[in-house]
Amino acid sequence: MDGVVRELLGRQLEAWLSRAVAQGRPSVVALAYGPGALLAATDSAEMVLGVLAEHAGQLRGRQLTVLVLADGSEELPARLGAIEATLPAEIAVHLVPGGPARLPVAVKAAGATGAPLLSYLDGAGAHDPGVLAASAAGRPAELLLVTEANPAAAASAGSVRAGLTGAGFPLTTQVDLVAVDGSAARRLAFGTGHDRSLEAFKENLWAVDDDAAVRYRDPADPSGQLLDIAPDPESLGQELLAELARSGPRTVTELRRHALTATAYRSVDVQRALTGLLRRGAAVRDPEHGRLGGDVIIAVPRHP
């Protein structure tokens, strides 16, 4: 489970770096670990610094501050210090005692308000409203948040996304990571202000090694169906049919947008899902023939 989360964080960091460096402004990466995440904090923070070391060439001349907020053993500063010594002088690493609750003060002190900011929050206190608001203070701001998943509580499905939206992230998504060994599931949520960033997160989500002993679950799916780490057009097709039943006919473009913002899937997965629905008559299209372009209208067939 921790390995999958680290892989996703590393991939998202690489995607974020390319955009942050292009802007040429001082940037901030903030990592905050609550009591429930301290065991993974050292490996996670070490991985982040390792990614920065791999991209040292493109980061030279660019000011970047890394904040690591955690309470832990002496192992954390020792291991981070070894990697920090290999980083360009423009990259400053600050280990701050405490957890997510210290994030608002830390990012303000680092000058993150109005600067490119990537935040990673894990463990207790990660979804406190004040913490989420601080993580949204960057321009642009992106947030990857990990918390416990509680599918038994119906209201919990939207609570994390609602918190991110309320904090100022206009685009959000979430997925549960479910270990096949039956250990506690974790909810992974992402917030951003840009479609490209959301698309990148979805690409990273489905690029995880499918041999990992983890499955995905859409928190909004009342059936709690587990998804292999490979886009399943049939499962997405059922979600699209449910959306059509709720909202009526939609264009292909609108359904792509729905998949991106309201499901665990990518917008590019919609084409295969719709092709399957149309082939078996579960959906109809207007016009009936031609390319399945963005302006084609999809509907549930009417039965006499």
Side-chain angles (χ1 to χ4, degrees):
M1 183 78 74
D2 288 337
V4 171
V5 173
R6 283 197 302 273
E7 181 179 349
L8 286 168
L9 174 58
R11 289 176 179 272
Q12 201 63 35
L13 174 60
E14 289 185 322
W16 177 84
L17 276 176
S18 63
R19 297 189 296 272
V21 169
Q23 295 188 34
R25 292 186 287 150
S27 306
V28 177
V29 175
L31 314 171
Y33 304 89
L38 295 182
L39 291 177
T42 301
D43 290 340
S44 174
E46 186 179 49
M47 179 277 300
V48 167
L49 295 192
V51 170
L52 297 180
E54 293 174 3
H55 292 79
Q58 72 180 103
L59 292 173
R60 296 190 186 280
R62 307 293 190 186
Q63 184 179 342
L64 176 65
T65 300
V66 181
L67 304 172
V68 182
L69 291 79
D71 285 321
S73 65
E74 295 180 357
E75 182 183 11
L76 180 60
R79 285 171 59 177
L80 297 188
I83 303 179
E84 183 182 1
T86 69
L87 297 175
E90 296 88 345
I91 301 179
V93 181
H94 300 289
L95 183 56
V96 182
R102 298 289 304 277
L103 185 74
V105 173
V107 297
K108 184 176 182 180
T113 302
L117 171 63
L118 172 65
S119 301
Y120 173 75
L121 307 176
D122 192 348
H127 46 75
D128 178 83
V131 173
L132 296 181
S135 68
R139 294 293 181 273
E142 291 185 12
L143 168 64
L144 195 61
L145 182 151
V146 181
T147 186
E148 293 182 356
N150 181 15
S156 72
S159 61
V160 177
R161 290 189 65 181
L164 267 62
T165 301
F169 291 102
L171 297 174
T172 65
T173 191
Q174 62 182 1
V175 65
D176 287 348
L177 308 181
V178 183
V180 297
D181 63 6
S183 56
R186 306 178 77 187
R187 181 158 298 167
L188 181 68
F190 178 70
T192 183
H194 298 280
D195 282 24
R196 184 183 300 180
S197 298
L198 185 56
E199 290 275 15
F201 174 76
K202 290 293 186 69
E203 291 292 340
N204 294 332
L205 187 69
W206 293 103
V208 169
D209 183 359
D210 58 9
D211 289 332
V214 171
R215 298 295 179 264
Y216 292 152
R217 180 178 63 207
D218 186 342
D221 181 2
S223 70
Q225 178 184 1
L226 297 184
L227 309 173
D228 291 333
I229 303 180
D232 178 7
E234 184 172 342
S235 177
L236 175 57
Q238 294 305 310
E239 295 206 36
L240 296 179
L241 287 178
E243 171 62 11
L244 291 171
R246 285 189 298 265
S247 64
R250 304 289 295 273
T251 66
V252 171
T253 295
E254 289 171 332
L255 292 175
R256 288 173 181 160
R257 183 71 176 174
H258 174 75
L260 177 65
T261 60
T263 79
Y265 291 97
R266 306 167 297 181
S267 59
V268 296
D269 298 321
V270 169
Q271 206 79 1
R272 288 179 60 201
L274 289 180
T275 299
L277 293 176
L278 293 168
R279 183 183 299 119
R280 66 174 188 264
V284 294
R285 52 170 288 175
D286 183 18
E288 295 184 8
H289 304 289
R291 187 176 66 89
L292 193 60
D295 58 348
V296 172
I297 298 174
I298 307 295
V300 176
R302 294 181 179 180
H303 299 288

